Amino acid sequence: PADAEDVSQEIHFEHIQAEIIEEIRNAKYVIWIAMAWFTNASIYAELLKKKKQGLDIVIIIDDNDRNRNNVPFVLEDNFETYRIEIKSQYKNIMHDKFCIIDLKTVLHGTFNWTVAANYNKETVSIDRNRETAESFANEFLKLKRIAIRQ
């Protein structure tokens, strides 16, 4: 049908940081990020450019030492940021690694937003599917509600 949604999926094993930056550059409205570790200054710089274009950017990260120490930026200085601590019987971390762009594209996989991730055997899937994006958006909002209550 003519009104059928354009759906696609790409899997990347190499040049993942470049793919993430390209998707950020293509964003028009909203970028929601849930990332266990975020210390990558190159990705941060791209997000800052999009913020200056007026995009709504919200970041949820794990509240851990790696996200606080020796990081070349403070997310809270420029973005609506939530640091989340998962509480359970065992010491857990928020291990999500996804980014929702314009509620239609999702980047997800094993790739953390760290420089070190460029040198590990990581993967990222880029899904262009509204239904998938809404599923991830529901999870994002669940994490945000947890963070707000903490």
Side-chain angles (χ1 to χ4, degrees), residues 84-86 141-150:
I84 189 167
E85 184 178 331
I86 302 297
L141 291 173
K142 183 175 122 186
L143 290 168
K144 185 176 175 183
R145 285 190 290 272
I146 291 168
I148 289 170
R149 286 195 305 265
Q150 289 183 350

Side-chain angles (χ1 to χ4, degrees), residues 4-144:
E5 181 182 8
D6 184 26
V7 174
S8 72
Q9 180 183 46
E10 302 170 15
I11 309 293
H12 297 275
F13 299 94
E14 296 177 345
H15 312 295
I16 296 172
Q17 177 180 305
E19 294 293 337
I20 291 168
I21 287 172
E22 184 64 25
E23 293 298 324
I24 290 170
R25 287 178 178 164
N26 291 332
K28 294 180 181 170
Y29 311 108
V30 175
I31 302 173
W32 287 354
I33 301 156
M35 195 60 50
W37 295 282
F38 184 177
T39 62
N40 186 308
S42 297
I43 295 174
Y44 175 85
E46 292 301 323
L47 290 171
L48 205 49
K49 289 177 190 174
K50 295 312 277 191
K51 180 189 176 201
K52 290 176 181 174
Q53 293 174 11
L55 275 72
D56 178 55
I57 300 172
V58 182
I59 302 169
I60 300 172
I61 59 172
D62 188 65
D63 190 8
N64 64 55
D65 289 342
R66 191 183 301 173
N67 281 331
R68 290 197 178 276
N69 302 328
N70 300 316
V71 180
F73 50 80
V74 177
L75 290 169
E76 287 85 350
D77 287 350
N78 287 295
F79 301 106
E80 180 181 345
T81 303
Y82 300 89
R83 293 181 186 259
I84 189 167
E85 184 178 331
I86 302 297
K87 294 180 171 93
S88 74
Q89 183 177 354
Y90 304 101
K91 173 63 180 146
N92 289 321
I93 61 170
M94 192 227 38
H95 209 260
D96 295 276
K97 300 173 191 95
F98 65 86
C99 173
I100 305 160
I101 297 175
D102 297 338
L103 292 175
K104 65 178 185 176
T105 300
V106 180
L107 292 69
H108 61 98
T110 63
F111 191 89
N112 283 295
W113 287 9
T114 65
V115 173
N118 288 301
Y119 305 101
N120 298 334
K121 294 299 290 175
E122 305 287 356
T123 63
V124 71
S125 174
I126 301 173
D127 294 343
R128 290 179 180 81
N129 177 305
R130 182 73 175 204
E131 190 173 311
T132 300
E134 288 179 3
S135 293
F136 275 93
N138 287 333
E139 181 64 15
F140 181 88
L141 291 173
K142 183 175 122 186
L143 290 168
K144 185 176 175 183

